[in-house]
Amino acid sequence: MRWNLDALYPYFDSSEFQGDMKRCEEEIQEIIQWAEANFTTHDKPVEKIEVYMERQNRFFHLYTRLLSFGELSLSVNAKDERALRVVEHLEARETELAKPMVMFQKWIGELDDLEKVIASSKRLEEHLFYLMEIKKNGKYLLSEGEEILVAKMKNTGSNAWSKLQELLSSTLLVDINIDGEDKKLPLPVVRNMAYAKDAALRKKAYEAELKSYEKVAESSGASLNGIKGEVITLSKMRGYGSVLEKTLMDSRMDQETLDAMLTAMVESLPTFHRYYRRKAELLGHENGLPFYDLFAPMGDVKMEFTYEEAKDFIVKNFRSFSDTLANYAAHAFEKGWIDAEPREGKRGGAFCSNLHVIKESRILSNFTGTFNDVSTLAHELGHGYHGHCLNDETYLNSDYPMPIAETASIFCETIIQKAALKGASEEEVFAILESSLMGAGQVIVDIYSRFLFERELFKRREEGSLSVEELKEMMIRAQKEAYGNGLDHHVLHPYMWVCKPHYYYGEANYYNFPYAFGLLFAKGLYAEYMKRGTKFIKEYDQLLSITGKKSIADVASTMGIDIRQADFWRSSLKIIEDDIEAFIALKK
Ligand SMILES: [Zn+2]
């Protein structure tokens, strides 16, 4: 149940690792010198672009190999100081490449016949999307001096505000009385009590949590105003129509797609409200679900799996989809690509790291034998399979944007969930559906409330800073609109803007709708799979393999799917709505 990293390096002091560290440093220096010497004139454009891309591909192979070795080592042993030093060193060194990259962007922007240049080389044609995107994004660059100034000022601006917010929430202690004893507990511990079986504890934890935010609300509000203010200023200076436009461009999405998705989401809200009201009823509430019971566990089933059983269950059900997927998963289990054993010093949760350079992946999870753990493994294997489909692409053509990153993972999770439902007892069906709907509700309904909040925040922040009271009111309004009568309007969460870190990333705004996109795109593909049968499988692999070199709408259109039409999103939501109907019918 532990992974093997030998395919990357034997150990930090090995001659392979040390040699690559040296080469990596040399590559950085060479790229900088080369860029300075070559991006000053516009002669020999084909040759220059080819050389620069080649150098980048080479550098990133080396860099990601070194960095992955450090990061993966650290993820299973937080006390590995050597690994930590390596990771920090590499990350700091990589920032040196920002300068040649900006030079390249500017230089490409000045070429007036870029399309013609690209068309004259097969190598460049392969990277058409990558190069055109660089040119497009380059239009929003400021002058070199301004860019340097902005980068430096961010360290004392948005980055400093983010750090402050992180500090506030990570050191915030919540006063709570448990079993007659007054305690001061960290915020995540108290928030986690939302999943407790004890109903009184869930309520008490929620009340204590809300109370604790009063201690940091003013400072959090100042951080939020500071960050969003800077984002608005920069977005205007760079010439974006709006902050949302920039996020959409970074996501390789367009407004039409977002509108189509939101239309379908809003239409489906009443069905989600029925789910919440049903859950409320089952928990004994009359006026919809109180916020503190959103995550209340329901049903009392124990579906236990040994690791071996989990592996067999996954491989067998993946095979009902395709041999390639099943063989990939079996290979990952057998070749030591998965670290599933929980142990001291290892980080929590789960992730998948795709190692493009060696055409392998490594998966970390903390397997305890629940159905949820099996589902998580399937999810991460989905990420790995996505990487597998990208193996034959160059490094520069294998980088996909956030909204499409969860496609393969959620698709695999769906396969496993459907399989588990087939052989399950009524009690088990209830538990599986409930936990899946709880998750979907977060990604559709809660994410919609966050989108509404952020949209209003940007609109009003332009006029000036917002007070804590205003932020609270806006959050409540957004929750009422999204959750409708599903939630009890007297028991909402006015401080969600304090507790979610996503609002505090200066570089990633509207860090919400991509989650909904991810879930719904995967579900929509699953709906297509149900319709098209085996014909779908080849097209699906093909789709995954081009996710790094097309806009998302173009990726989808290769399968004849039009994501600018609400109908596609309706078919995605239909899958979840069917689950809601099944859930409601069950306990009748
Ligand atoms: Zn994921």
Side-chain angles (χ1 to χ4, degrees):
M1 284 173 82
R2 293 189 183 198
W3 62 29
N4 183 324
L5 302 181
D6 288 353
L8 288 172
Y9 297 103
Y11 49 95
F12 286 116
D13 282 319
S14 64
S15 55
E16 294 91 333
F17 184 86
Q18 292 303 324
D20 277 0
M21 280 296 266
K22 202 168 145 256
R23 268 182 54 212
C24 183
E25 188 60 49
E26 287 162 6
E27 290 279 352
I28 293 174
Q29 296 312 327
E30 279 171 26
I31 290 178
I32 295 171
Q33 281 164 17
W34 187 90
E36 279 169 353
N38 287 278
F39 291 144
T40 40
T41 59
H42 289 87
D43 58 327
K44 295 190 264 176
V46 176
E47 196 189 311
K48 282 182 181 173
I49 300 175
E50 281 180 350
V51 172
Y52 183 69
M53 283 196 329
E54 184 52 36
R55 281 181 179 273
Q56 270 199 308
N57 272 322
R58 206 165 60 213
F59 167 77
F60 279 113
H61 270 173
L62 201 56
Y63 176 75
T64 52
R65 186 173 196 147
L66 291 161
L67 186 70
S68 301
F69 188 65
E71 283 179 338
L72 293 172
S73 304
L74 194 60
S75 67
V76 290
N77 180 11
K79 289 192 189 119
D80 191 337
E81 284 175 23
R82 180 70 185 277
L84 181 65
R85 275 207 310 276
V86 164
V87 169
E88 284 180 350
H89 173 78
L90 283 166
E91 282 174 348
R93 296 306 299 146
E94 202 246 347
T95 58
E96 296 280 308
L97 290 180
K99 200 179 166 201
M101 192 61 205
V102 171
M103 290 178 78
F104 180 52
Q105 265 182 311
K106 290 221 171 266
W107 180 83
I108 271 220
E110 288 154 10
L111 288 177
D112 26 52
D113 51 353
L114 181 62
E115 281 94 333
K116 246 165 92 193
V117 170
I118 295 173
S120 67
S121 148
K122 197 168 162 280
R123 193 73 181 145
L124 298 194
E125 267 200 313
E126 276 172 24
H127 292 87
L128 174 70
F129 182 81
Y130 170 80
L131 292 167
M132 294 311 288
E133 190 175 53
I134 285 192
K135 179 170 172 145
K136 193 165 118 194
N137 292 339
K139 278 196 294 207
Y140 300 96
L141 283 176
L142 304 172
S143 73
E144 204 180 313
E146 284 170 330
E147 284 296 341
I148 293 171
L149 184 65
V150 165
K152 291 195 181 203
M153 298 285 285
K154 269 188 185 170
N155 286 330
T156 47
S158 59
N159 292 347
W161 286 118
S162 299
K163 275 190 197 146
L164 172 66
Q165 177 62 15
E166 214 182 302
L167 187 76
L168 289 172
S169 50
S170 64
T171 53
L172 179 61
L173 290 176
V174 182
D175 295 295
I176 187 167
N177 185 290
I178 291 178
D179 300 330
E181 206 186 316
D182 283 331
K183 292 190 171 182
K184 286 184 185 298
L185 296 175
L187 182 61
V189 174
V190 176
R191 276 185 58 77
N192 214 27
M193 290 173 183
Y195 296 89
K197 275 213 151 59
D198 178 355
L201 179 63
R202 292 197 298 268
K203 183 164 189 266
K204 200 195 301 183
Y206 158 85
E207 284 162 358
E209 180 198 340
L210 288 198
K211 184 99 190 98
S212 77
Y213 290 131
E214 288 170 15
K215 294 188 248 179
V216 296
E218 288 295 340
S219 333
S220 293
S223 301
L224 192 61
N225 278 304
I227 292 168
K228 296 307 191 196
E230 182 190 280
V231 168
I232 292 170
T233 305
L234 270 178
S235 151
K236 287 197 167 151
M237 279 185 74
R238 293 188 184 286
Y240 289 102
S242 66
V243 176
L244 181 58
E245 182 182 284
K246 177 174 192 305
T247 300
L248 284 168
M249 278 177 69
D250 292 346
S251 309
R252 296 179 184 165
M253 260 174 83
D254 48 53
Q255 185 72 43
E256 244 181 304
T257 302
L258 179 64
D259 290 344
M261 182 179 85
L262 290 174
T263 300
M265 275 166 68
V266 170
E267 285 171 8
S268 79
L269 290 177
T271 310
F272 278 96
H273 300 162
R274 289 178 55 222
Y275 155 68
Y276 288 122
R277 287 192 78 82
R278 183 67 185 149
K279 181 164 180 173
E281 242 173 74
L282 293 171
L283 290 166
H285 302 294
E286 279 174 7
N287 299 313
L289 200 60
F291 203 94
Y292 56 78
D293 270 350
L294 266 174
F295 304 105
M298 302 193 64
D300 200 16
V301 279
K302 276 214 168 0
M303 294 173 77
E304 301 264 7
F305 292 78
T306 64
Y307 189 55
E308 207 46 37
E309 284 164 354
K311 173 193 155 186
D312 292 343
F313 188 75
I314 289 172
V315 174
K316 185 181 128 211
N317 289 299
F318 277 6
R319 202 167 298 284
S320 73
F321 178 73
S322 84
D323 280 337
T324 338
L325 178 62
N327 293 343
Y328 166 80
H331 194 80
F333 275 107
E334 278 147 28
K335 296 290 169 183
W337 291 8
I338 304 174
D339 200 299
E341 172 202 64
R343 58 184 180 275
E344 210 198 314
K346 177 174 164 174
R347 58 163 276 184
F351 69 80
C352 171
S353 168
N354 286 333
L355 308 168
H356 189 264
V357 56
I358 54 169
K359 300 186 192 256
E360 294 184 9
S361 25
R362 289 297 179 274
I363 287 164
L364 177 141
S365 82
N366 285 274
F367 186 82
T368 59
T370 64
F371 173 68
N372 212 9
D373 293 339
V374 180
S375 181
T376 300
L377 269 178
H379 178 105
E380 301 307 333
L381 283 162
H383 281 302
Y385 186 69
H386 192 171
H388 175 77
C389 291
L390 283 159
N391 272 346
D392 293 332
E393 298 293 331
T394 62
Y395 183 87
L396 296 178
N397 272 345
S398 65
D399 192 18
Y400 44 82
M402 153 81 177
I404 213 162
E406 294 298 333
T407 305
S409 54
I410 295 173
F411 192 90
C412 281
E413 231 184 277
T414 309
I415 295 179
I416 290 303
Q417 195 220 70
K418 296 276 173 213
L421 284 173
K422 257 188 210 156
S425 68
E426 187 159 314
E427 275 295 306
E428 286 169 342
V429 168
F430 177 75
I432 294 171
L433 283 179
E434 213 290 311
S435 114
S436 146
L437 291 174
M438 192 162 78
Q442 281 298 294
V443 178
I444 306 301
V445 188
D446 199 71
I447 283 290
Y448 184 59
S449 78
R450 297 190 215 176
F451 176 77
L452 291 174
F453 173 83
E454 193 156 349
R455 194 170 62 183
E456 191 180 350
L457 175 58
F458 273 119
K459 206 170 133 211
R460 291 178 56 179
R461 179 64 188 84
E462 272 198 46
E463 313 297 323
S465 281
L466 289 122
S467 69
V468 167
E469 276 316 306
E470 287 172 309
L471 293 167
K472 284 166 68 181
E473 277 164 27
M474 277 160 57
M475 185 51 85
I476 291 294
R477 202 163 36 243
Q479 285 171 357
K480 282 183 181 166
E481 193 172 335
Y483 284 95
N485 65 4
L487 285 190
D488 182 339
H489 285 197
H490 299 290
V491 198
L492 298 167
H493 195 310
Y495 289 108
M496 277 307 266
W497 55 273
V498 181
C499 96
K500 288 289 167 197
H502 305 77
Y503 296 115
Y504 297 82
Y505 305 138
E507 287 299 316
N509 296 280
Y510 288 100
Y511 201 165
N512 35 57
F513 70 81
Y515 284 104
F517 185 103
L519 175 74
L520 293 179
F521 188 61
K523 293 279 182 196
L525 286 182
Y526 196 85
E528 287 300 317
Y529 167 47
M530 293 290 102
K531 259 192 265 168
R532 302 184 196 184
T534 45
K535 209 176 119 250
F536 172 89
I537 296 161
K538 246 212 164 93
E539 298 171 335
Y540 173 72
D541 287 357
Q542 173 66 20
L543 175 135
L544 292 179
S545 77
I546 54 163
T547 43
K549 55 179 185 187
K550 279 183 191 298
S551 73
I552 303 189
D554 287 346
V555 169
S557 80
T558 60
M559 286 190 79
I561 293 169
D562 188 355
I563 57 172
R564 296 189 181 102
Q565 298 293 329
D567 270 347
F568 169 74
W569 303 104
R570 289 186 184 113
S571 70
S572 313
L573 283 152
K574 175 83 170 49
I575 294 189
I576 305 171
E577 287 164 1
D578 285 349
D579 282 352
I580 292 178
E581 298 306 341
F583 173 79
I584 291 172
L586 260 183
K587 282 278 158 162
K588 282 246 162 80

